[in-house]
Amino acid sequence: TDYSSHRKQIQLPLIPPPIMTNLLRATITIFRDEPMIMRTTGPVIIVGDLHGQILDLLRILKSEGLPPEKRYIFLGDLVDRGQFSTETVTLIFVMKILWPKSIILLRGNHEFDELCTIGGFGTEISNLYNSDDISSLFSYSFACIPIACIVNDTIVCLHGGIGPTVKHLANIEDTQRPLY
C-alpha cells in the first residue's frame, strides 16, 4: 500500500495513559541524568526536523538501520505540523529508553510550550489523552532534553542558532533544567 501518496489512511494504536505516563517518567529520568551538551564519536546518523512525520522516521530507520547497531542524533522538532506527532516522539522516546547510548535527542524550538501550543502538538495531546497529567509530563520531558551534542570533539550539533548571549559552550553546559 502506498501511504506516502495518501491512497490509504494510517491508523496507529493509542498507547494507554498509564503506559504513556510511565514512558514519559522514564525519559525524564534519562534526560535529567544527561549533560546539557552530549558528547559522542562517529559514525552517527544525524536526523533533523521530523515534525510529526512518522513515515519519514520509519523510512530513515529502514534505510539506515536500527539501534543499537546504528547510532542516531535527533536535532529536535519532533512534533507539530505532521499528523503523527505523538507517535513520532513516542517511538523516539521508546528507542531512547531501550538504547540510551545509541539515541541522542536534542531539543528543538518546537519542544517549547509556546510552539507546541501554536504548532498543534498541544491540541493533539489534548484530543488523544484529555489529560493534564500527560500534557504536563510531555512539557516537563521536553524541558529536560539536552540542547547540544559534540561529535568527535569537533562538530557541534544543535537545533538552531546559538543566541548572541552564548559566548562559550560553558554557557550551555551551565543551563539548569527544566528549561522552559
Side-chain angles (χ1 to χ4, degrees), residues 66-125:
L66 297 172
E69 288 78 28
K70 298 293 182 163
R71 294 180 314 113
Y72 287 86
I73 298 173
F74 291 94
L75 298 178
D77 279 12
L78 305 176
V79 300
D80 288 336
R81 299 185 186 153
Q83 186 178 358
F84 297 106
S85 288
T86 304
E87 293 83 356
T88 301
V89 70
T90 300
L91 178 55
I92 293 171
F93 279 11
V94 167
M95 291 190 305
K96 180 68 177 173
I97 291 167
L98 293 174
W99 305 291
K101 301 294 183 201
S102 297
I103 302 293
I104 293 175
L105 180 56
L106 304 179
R107 190 173 187 186
N109 59 312
H110 282 266
E111 283 79 45
F112 281 84
D113 286 346
E114 299 83 20
L115 281 179
C116 285
T117 301
I118 296 167
F121 181 66
T123 302
E124 183 178 317
I125 289 297

Side-chain angles (χ1 to χ4, degrees), residues 1-40:
T1 310
D2 185 3
Y3 294 107
S4 62
S5 67
H6 306 288
R7 288 187 222 162
K8 176 138 181 154
Q9 283 286 342
I10 300 174
Q11 289 189 302
L12 299 174
L14 181 67
I15 294 177
I19 294 172
M20 182 60 82
T21 298
N22 289 336
L23 172 86
L24 291 168
R25 287 185 178 143
T27 57
I28 289 165
T29 299
I30 292 169
F31 293 145
R32 291 207 48 111
D33 287 342
E34 292 179 333
M36 277 301 244
I37 299 178
M38 303 288 291
R39 291 179 180 353
T40 193

Side-chain angles (χ1 to χ4, degrees), residues 5 35 43 45-46 52 61 78 82 85 88 99 106 119 144 152-153 158 171 179:
S5 67
I45 299 153
I46 300 173
L61 294 171
L78 305 176
S85 288
T88 301
W99 305 291
L106 304 179
C144 294
N152 295 335
D153 293 322
L158 51 102
N171 298 130
L179 176 60

